[in-house]
Amino acid sequence: MSAKLPVFEARGAHISVGTNVLLRDVNFTIYEGERVAIVGHNGAGKSSLLRAMTGFCAVTHGSLCVLGTDMNGLRERGTLRNVRSRIAQVHQGLNLVGRLSAIDNVLIGGAARATSMLTWLRRWPALEREAAQAALARVGMAWAAARRTDSLSGGERQKVAIARALHQQAPVLLADEPTASLDADAADEIVELITALVAERQSTLLCVVHDLDRVARLADRVIVLRKGIVIADAPATRYSASELRGMLK
């Protein structure tokens, strides 16, 4: 059996803006196929870490390697584009285009494979349309392919965002608070969907989780941030939700 490769490697990583330190001396390695939850209160540095992993935020000291690429000072557009194409994201704000149909939003996930002027006019290749339709079907949203996304419920829009990430066909999924603003039933459905898709594709999952009761269902490892510092990195089953809450006080 071949050894699993590191997907994310942080070594003494600092992120600061002026005198404001967002992350301090962060160290961890996340390997292929791991499911990792990041937890912490607002301002703990969770979003800054995700932004650094996709090259939208610079590491000011230390190092951060993503999929074998050193992100420190990375300026080559082609290299950065390649890294981002291998990381699918489900954003907290979803970043869907409300006036577009569900399938058009999903097709955007494959833009790196079908770059041409025709895609700007939403004239996607037939194979891309078939794959996008399959992604919608996989998340139970085939019926909404032609519906405007802003006409869908919160849970339905979340599924479209997951279908878009699925259509990207990337080995890594970053999900930023994927159950935020959903009712309990919809949140449970999204958790089950994400874990099933990650298992099917043997993807690496890095997920910012606000609902501590769902950490162990989403992940097999938890990294706890407090005021920009990693205060725990352990199997997700080691801590109960109440223990995690106590750590964040």
Side-chain angles (χ1 to χ4, degrees):
M1 182 181 295
S2 60
K4 291 187 176 182
L5 299 174
V7 175
F8 300 108
E9 292 183 280
R11 294 289 175 265
H14 281 58
I15 297 177
S16 59
V17 178
T19 59
N20 186 23
V21 179
L22 305 177
L23 286 175
R24 187 190 305 274
D25 195 27
V26 170
N27 295 277
F28 59 73
T29 301
I30 297 172
Y31 291 93
E32 291 175 318
E34 280 198 278
R35 296 183 300 132
V36 181
I38 299 178
V39 303
H41 285 315
N42 290 340
K46 307 184 300 297
S47 295
S48 297
L49 181 58
L50 261 61
R51 286 173 57 79
M53 288 173 167
T54 49
F56 288 104
C57 180
V59 172
T60 47
H61 300 291
S63 66
L64 175 65
C65 288
V66 178
L67 294 163
T69 298
D70 186 353
M71 303 298 285
N72 291 25
L74 183 61
R75 292 291 181 269
E76 297 179 22
R77 281 191 169 185
T79 302
L80 186 55
R81 188 181 301 115
N82 177 262
V83 171
R84 289 174 177 167
S85 72
R86 297 165 67 195
I87 301 175
Q89 295 189 72
V90 178
H91 301 271
Q92 184 178 356
L94 301 185
N95 289 5
L96 298 173
V97 182
R99 62 182 175 79
L100 294 184
S101 67
I103 196 166
D104 279 332
N105 273 281
V106 172
L107 281 160
I108 292 169
R113 296 189 300 273
T115 52
S116 73
M117 285 301 296
L118 291 179
T119 61
W120 287 98
L121 300 173
R122 302 204 298 279
R123 296 178 182 174
W124 300 86
L127 287 177
E128 287 293 316
R129 284 198 164 273
E130 290 173 9
Q133 187 69 44
L136 277 173
R138 178 59 188 84
V139 302
M141 293 294 292
W143 61 271
R147 290 274 300 273
R148 277 180 60 124
T149 310
D150 56 12
S151 71
L152 303 175
S153 70
E156 291 165 349
R157 289 195 299 272
Q158 190 70 282
K159 289 180 183 179
V160 172
I162 292 171
R164 180 183 58 191
L166 184 63
H167 183 56
Q168 189 172 328
Q169 300 174 17
V172 182
L173 174 62
L174 297 188
D176 191 356
E177 300 193 5
T179 62
S181 304
L182 299 180
D183 62 37
D185 290 341
D188 286 341
E189 192 174 1
I190 293 301
V191 168
E192 291 174 7
L193 182 58
I194 288 175
T195 53
L197 292 174
V198 167
E200 286 172 16
R201 300 206 165 196
Q202 298 183 322
S203 304
T204 305
L205 173 66
L206 184 62
C207 186
V208 171
V209 183
H210 80 291
D211 186 344
L212 301 181
D213 293 307
R214 291 187 168 87
V215 168
R217 292 175 57 193
L218 272 165
D220 45 36
R221 175 180 168 192
V222 60
I223 294 174
V224 184
L225 282 171
R226 185 170 65 193
K227 296 181 179 179
I229 299 172
V230 174
I231 62 170
D233 182 349
T237 53
R238 180 172 297 180
Y239 303 112
S240 67
S242 60
E243 287 173 323
L244 288 173
R245 291 187 188 96
M247 295 169 69
L248 297 179
K249 288 182 179 178

